Amino acid sequence: LIKRAAGLRIHWLQHGGYELPDVPIQLVGMGMDRAAPTDVAQTLGHLPVSNGRTKQTNGRVTMVLGHMPTLLPAAADMGAQLLFAGHTHGGQCRIPPRFALRNSTDLSLGLTCGVLRHRDTWCVVSRGVGETAIPLRVFCRPHVPVYTLRNGEAPTINHSRIVNVRPW
């Protein structure tokens, strides 16, 4: 893949960050491994920090591309506003309407896919298009979402645990 993409203007974000030049967004990429919270802290550590939380510099939004939704508490601790994740394959085999049988994470089955929230950090978990172990999906269609980001204040939520505010 890297050889095929060598001629493209791609910024690889394997445990690194990149500030988009024309929009107020900073992207931070985590590896696909089961990164520990200390890895997230080290990766996000290059951001200006105040009282253990990421400082908003020039109105920039910090978005983490994390693969694993289990990174959400660490991303929230570091002050990221948004985490894009997958890994769960939506549970791959589900019992209607939304009950996942498995999700390959330490998260509860109710957090397998959808829009999650932990304190001030949002996380969107896609069902993706692939499978793991068995090439089978039951009541769990492939899912490649298109996200529209809007500027504005998000509703305040003060949960000390992760909640699924919009399952899919």
Side-chain angles (χ1 to χ4, degrees), residues 52-124:
R53 306 247 328 149
T54 303
K55 211 188 292 181
Q56 294 307 300
T57 55
N58 299 325
R60 287 198 179 271
V61 172
T62 301
M63 297 177 3
V64 178
L65 310 174
H67 187 76
M68 301 282 292
T70 52
L71 298 174
L72 180 54
D77 287 347
M78 293 304 295
Q81 290 81 21
L82 181 60
L83 167 65
F84 291 97
H87 182 73
T88 66
H89 299 275
Q92 195 168 322
C93 295
R94 301 174 72 88
I95 298 172
R98 295 177 193 243
F99 183 74
L101 300 175
R102 184 173 180 272
N103 69 13
S104 303
T105 75
D106 295 337
L107 296 177
S108 72
L109 295 176
L111 303 174
T112 299
C113 58
V115 180
L116 311 180
R117 183 93 184 259
H118 184 57
R119 296 193 304 269
D120 292 328
T121 303
W122 296 87
C123 175
V124 287

Side-chain angles (χ1 to χ4, degrees), residues 127-161:
R127 292 190 307 262
V129 295
E131 298 91 18
T132 179
I134 301 170
L136 174 71
R137 282 182 174 261
V138 177
F139 298 115
C140 186
R141 296 183 60 174
H143 181 236
V144 180
V146 175
Y147 301 109
T148 301
L149 303 176
R150 293 188 175 91
N151 192 9
E153 289 294 318
T156 301
I157 189 169
N158 194 8
H159 288 290
S160 59
R161 61 183 178 85

